[in-house]
Amino acid sequence: RFKNEAGSNAFNLRPKRWIEATNAIGIVSKSGRYGGTYAHKDIAFEFAAWLSPAIKLYIIREFQRLKESESHEHSLEWQFKRTLSKINYKLHSDAIKNYVIPSSHRAKDKQWIEYANEADILNVSVFGYTAKQWSEANPEAVLRKESVRDTASINELVVLSNMESLNSIYIKQGMPKHERLDNLRREAKEQLEKLNVSNTNKAYKKLPNTNYLDSKPDSNFNESLKQALDYSPKD
């Protein structure tokens, strides 16, 4: 009816009439000294954009600015996490190459297992599970070509980087694997607790809905410990 009457010079659509006729819930109109018409912000923006082309242009540009800013922040975080995970990689890989590989009993074409073994020692110390266990618990993430480190929190990656450096020192000192893992696990737990308390936002994982394994010491952790210390080709 409003649409048909809109062309008439006598047509007058007051807010109260609109509310009564359509049972509108996004707009309120009150009369009197402290009265006025109030609307949900979505309706207010739409009305302002219809009323003023300048306001409409402003809203469009502001939306674009916010989306660009959001995208930029996400990109920076992703780059930071990826860079952070590689900070001490060289130190760690060199320690394995120079100290673990020479004393390894594995054939040359199986020496990659030592690198995987040491990587899982770090995974267990920080996350509480091996890369294989995480992959089995998160098949959808694996299809997206993501790893446990891709979905780790900022705080976890900070600690992981620290553990790489610390483990390289332990390797050079000739410390046994069991002892290294105990020390790394204890140090990682202490660092994570402090970081998570001081910076809660960076304690959250990238994908909160993913079916992550429980990182608390339990039967899963014991199995992770066994896999990290006794890595073999069949694993």
Side-chain angles (χ1 to χ4, degrees), residues 134 141 144 146 150-151 204-212:
W134 183 91
R144 295 192 297 269
E146 293 176 341
D150 289 318
T151 54
Y204 298 121
K205 293 179 184 293
K206 181 181 176 183
L207 302 175
N209 294 326
T210 304
N211 182 27
Y212 289 98

Side-chain angles (χ1 to χ4, degrees), residues 34 126-127 130 144 199:
Y34 299 104
V126 177
F127 308 117
T130 64
R144 295 192 297 269
N199 196 337

